Amino acid sequence: MLAIKTKNLTKKYGDKTVVNNLNLSVNEGEMYALLGVNGAGKSTTIKMLSCLIRPTSGDAEILSNSITTESTKVKQIISVSPQETSVAPNLTVKENLEFIAGVFGFSKAQAKEKTQQILADFDMQEIANSRAKTLSGGWQRRLSIAMALISEPKVIFLDEPTLGLDVLARRELWKQIEKLKGKITIILTTHYLEEAEALSDRIGIMAHGVLKAQGTATKLKELAKTDDFEEAFVRIAGGEV
Amino acid sequence: MRTLVFAKRNAKEIMRDIFTLIFGILFPLVLLVLLSAINAGIPEQAGMKLFDIENLVPGISVFGLSFIALFTATIVSKDRCTSFILRLFTSPLKASQYIIGYTLPLIPLSIVQTIVCYAASFAFGLKWTPDVLLAIVVNIPVAVFFIATGLLCGTIFNDKAVGGVCGALLTNLSAWLSGTWFDLELVGGAFEKIADMLPFVHAVDAGRYALSGEYSKIMPELYWVIGYALVITVIAVIVFNNKMKQDK
């Protein structure tokens, strides 16, 4: 079954077309990476799919629910971990998780139970009572993803989840993201090509608001006639292919 | 339920900020102590009644509430300026739930602040009468006015600008134009007229009339405050809803 299907999804700001007739499909349980240089339209695509902004034209279905006419249903089954770390700074790790669970409608008892579970899944028991603002960047990102998962979404959008993290923190987060593979549908946007190559089942490359190509990393390298994924990305995004 | 969860989060964010304690509780108390000390040094023959405790405490309590606007504006603008609000926008929370969730924790905080202010005044000679309770109740619409002002400022300005607008401008306006620190009639002219058209002096006078038992004079003063509170609340809700759609 398809988790996401976009139909000529388009977003314009005035005369500028940021996303242009996007047609992509993501299978249920798949990890799909959306790659592109700055201004390619990745974040705008994520914002449309997560009902944060309305498309100018076109539509998309998240597990058969339209983002334009059934946004309330869509919001119940998706979750977003935004580009910037978005945690409540004066709340503890535990309180942040319980807060998000409560906002998504779980009872107090359920929220507590889910929090304990996710604290264990993300190895965060030791920092459970630390205030979020005291955590390192890597731990804050981990918390941010955990907050996105506590509502038990069917589809999760990870917008630049490792941006600004050092190599060790990034690798640690990769491990956490890899654990999710197959369990839920994950849409990942990233600037790090090796991240997309290592984590994703399929990759879509966007440039100037258009989906230039999509497929597995191997398929994209074949398409660009190179063994190097970075080179493949440059050729596809640069319009040489 | 969701609204309460959001309100609880906001209450924790505000209460765990050290500036809430410093500006919300301690600063008004320090002013109360200082001005009472000054008043003690003024000879009775001077006929200076402005800093007598029953005139002073309604003014200080209203001045203290101006910081509530700062707290409201700060949390709203911080949420807006970080991705935190984006995360919440993808949740099932509705626009009205945001507004109620931001407002709800600040009402009890305002009441506690006023109670602390009046309770401290007993140490400086304020006599207990049931009118003290009435004066505290009179401050509730004043609190609503300041919360709505904070919501509006937090929606319009970024987290750095709210410090200037609410932290400096609004607190100074509410101090100078309230008749707490000096008698506005002594300045007279345009200054007095402007002050009279704003809610601050009416808020303080309503508290003073409540304390002195001049009940019939309370509502005419309070109408000004309620009017401003209603208008600013409506504007804040409209601007909040519009701005949130734009921020998306």
Side-chain angles (χ1 to χ4, degrees):
Chain A
M1 187 184 173
L2 286 179
I4 299 172
K5 183 173 173 57
T6 72
K7 299 174 227 169
N8 300 320
L9 197 65
T10 301
K11 183 68 187 177
K12 291 180 181 175
Y13 291 106
D15 293 338
K16 197 178 174 198
T17 304
V18 184
V19 176
N20 194 4
N21 283 312
L22 185 72
N23 288 296
L24 66 82
S25 52
V26 179
N27 297 314
E28 218 176 331
E30 191 176 24
M31 186 179 294
Y32 187 96
L34 213 44
L35 287 183
V37 292
N38 287 338
K42 308 184 299 287
S43 291
T44 306
T45 302
I46 298 289
K47 282 181 179 174
M48 284 192 282
L49 293 176
S50 53
C51 305
L52 282 171
I53 54 173
R54 284 183 70 84
T56 309
S57 61
D59 199 353
E61 284 181 357
I62 311 280
L63 293 166
S64 305
N65 298 296
S66 161
I67 60 165
T68 55
T69 58
E70 295 170 295
S71 63
T72 308
K73 280 186 188 170
V74 171
K75 283 181 177 186
Q76 287 285 359
I77 55 173
I78 64 154
S79 195
V80 179
S81 178
Q83 200 171 91
E84 235 180 286
T85 304
S86 55
V87 296
N90 282 325
L91 264 57
T92 66
V93 168
K94 201 167 86 176
E95 287 168 340
N96 264 290
L97 292 164
E98 286 174 357
F99 163 61
I100 294 294
V103 159
F104 272 86
F106 290 105
S107 69
K108 209 171 175 181
Q110 285 173 318
K112 281 188 185 298
E113 191 189 324
K114 289 192 175 304
T115 296
Q116 288 308 322
Q117 181 62 49
I118 212 146
L119 283 171
D121 290 348
F122 276 72
D123 301 322
M124 292 195 296
Q125 292 104 324
E126 280 186 25
I127 55 156
N129 294 314
S130 303
R131 291 206 188 163
K133 67 180 178 185
T134 65
L135 304 177
S136 68
W139 280 106
Q140 285 195 6
R141 288 296 168 88
R142 195 183 285 212
L143 171 60
S144 188
I145 294 174
M147 286 165 76
L149 285 167
I150 199 161
S151 59
E152 295 182 342
K154 302 266 190 286
V155 179
I156 183 171
F157 298 96
L158 303 177
D159 197 5
E160 306 276 4
T162 61
L163 188 71
L165 298 185
D166 62 47
V167 177
L168 291 179
R170 199 188 311 163
R171 290 297 170 103
E172 270 300 311
L173 208 54
W174 282 15
K175 284 184 201 165
Q176 296 297 332
I177 294 170
E178 271 183 319
K179 284 186 198 170
L180 304 171
K181 278 184 81 167
K183 294 177 187 165
I184 57 173
T185 308
I186 304 169
I187 312 298
L188 173 83
T189 72
T190 180
H191 272 104
Y192 300 112
L193 302 180
E194 75 278 17
E195 187 166 287
E197 193 178 8
L199 294 176
S200 319
D201 298 313
R202 282 193 308 144
I203 298 164
I205 296 177
M206 286 185 79
H208 309 296
V210 174
L211 185 67
K212 294 281 186 180
Q214 64 175 335
T216 61
T218 311
K219 192 182 161 194
L220 292 172
K221 283 188 278 191
E222 281 171 14
L223 188 72
K225 297 185 175 62
T226 173
D227 291 333
D228 180 41
F229 185 68
E230 189 173 317
E231 185 57 32
F233 171 77
V234 170
R235 288 183 190 175
I236 294 167
E240 293 172 37
V241 176
Chain B
M1 178 64 188
R2 286 187 173 119
T3 311
L4 287 178
V5 170
F6 185 52
K8 198 174 161 189
R9 170 262 167 179
N10 295 331
K12 283 179 183 169
E13 282 286 345
I14 293 167
M15 297 304 293
R16 288 177 184 176
D17 192 333
I18 187 73
F19 289 108
T20 305
L21 184 67
I22 292 171
F23 287 106
I25 306 288
L26 293 181
F27 191 50
L29 288 182
V30 169
L31 284 175
L32 198 64
V33 172
L34 283 176
L35 293 172
S36 295
I38 291 169
N39 194 44
I42 297 172
E44 207 163 307
Q45 298 91 313
M48 169 80 169
K49 298 283 180 195
L50 193 65
F51 290 168
D52 284 358
I53 195 68
E54 37 315 316
N55 283 327
L56 186 63
V57 65
I60 297 284
S61 69
V62 168
F63 177 66
L65 288 177
S66 67
F67 288 102
I68 295 290
L70 175 65
F71 305 151
T72 317
T74 303
I75 191 166
V76 175
S77 64
K78 270 189 182 168
D79 282 354
R80 269 187 47 240
C81 294
T82 64
S83 311
F84 194 73
I85 205 79
L86 283 186
R87 183 190 287 284
L88 295 179
F89 274 147
T90 58
S91 77
L93 271 179
K94 295 188 177 81
S96 58
Q97 291 175 312
Y98 287 106
I99 291 163
I100 298 169
Y102 279 126
T103 307
L104 221 50
L106 288 152
I107 300 275
L109 182 64
S110 306
I111 294 170
V112 167
Q113 191 195 50
T114 301
I115 289 171
V116 168
C117 217
Y118 274 88
S121 299
F122 292 127
F124 300 101
L126 183 71
K127 298 215 165 35
W128 160 254
T129 67
D131 291 337
V132 172
L133 287 179
L134 181 63
I136 291 169
V137 172
V138 158
N139 260 10
I140 292 174
V142 185
V144 173
F145 161 73
F146 279 115
I147 292 167
T149 306
L151 190 61
L152 182 62
C153 290
T155 307
I156 297 170
F157 303 110
N158 65 32
D159 55 339
K160 284 177 187 141
V162 291
V165 175
C166 288
L169 187 64
L170 184 68
T171 51
N172 275 296
L173 279 179
S174 72
W176 296 344
L177 300 171
S178 67
T180 303
W181 320 112
F182 50 85
D183 193 340
L184 294 173
E185 283 180 16
L186 290 177
V187 183
F191 188 86
E192 190 187 1
K193 281 179 186 158
I194 292 169
D196 204 43
M197 288 165 70
L198 293 169
F200 311 110
V201 66
H202 300 290
V204 174
D205 283 347
R208 284 173 177 165
Y209 289 135
L211 265 190
S212 62
E214 297 172 81
Y215 308 125
S216 63
K217 291 181 177 174
I218 296 172
M219 282 319 288
E221 300 293 340
L222 218 48
Y223 286 141
W224 280 88
V225 180
I226 293 168
Y228 267 95
L230 281 174
V231 170
I232 303 267
T233 302
V234 170
I235 295 172
V237 169
I238 293 168
V239 174
F240 183 88
N241 283 334
N242 286 340
K243 186 78 179 167
M244 289 305 176
K245 279 176 195 162
Q246 282 172 27
D247 285 354
K248 283 181 179 181

